[in-house]
Amino acid sequence: MNIALEKSKLIRLLEETNDESIIASIKKIFTTKKKDWWDELSEEQQDILNESIEQYEKGEFTSFEKFIKPHL
């Protein structure tokens, strides 16, 4: 996909329209706040992830190879 060409086509279409609903819809796309997946997590899930990050930063982790070896 040629992004520059697609943008140019969209700009042309936007310039040619007088449909207020189309303009409002496009404006909404650019002004709607994107949801952060972190905010969708429960407090418990956030705590678990924060604890995991702390453990990783302290070097308290095992490689996947060491973990899986006894299970093979």
Side-chain angles (χ1 to χ4, degrees):
M1 174 187 282
N2 183 333
I3 297 295
L5 180 60
E6 294 301 316
K7 284 181 177 181
S8 180
K9 289 178 183 178
L10 287 170
I11 290 168
R12 212 171 310 119
L13 289 171
L14 184 58
E15 287 176 337
E16 293 173 0
T17 190
N18 289 320
D19 187 331
E20 291 180 14
S21 66
I22 292 174
I23 294 170
S25 295
I26 293 171
K27 189 174 182 180
K28 185 176 179 180
I29 290 169
F30 285 102
T31 58
T32 302
K33 182 183 174 200
K34 304 276 189 269
K35 288 186 179 180
D36 187 338
W37 62 270
W38 182 261
D39 297 331
E40 302 293 317
L41 298 175
S42 70
E43 188 174 336
E44 181 182 5
Q45 291 169 319
Q46 290 178 359
D47 290 343
I48 290 169
L49 288 172
N50 282 328
E51 184 178 336
S52 298
I53 291 168
E54 288 175 20
Q55 289 173 341
Y56 174 78
E57 289 173 347
K58 292 176 186 175
E60 299 171 356
F61 63 90
T62 302
S63 70
F64 177 75
E65 290 77 18
K66 285 183 182 178
F67 169 79
I68 202 68
K69 192 172 185 175
H71 304 285
L72 296 176

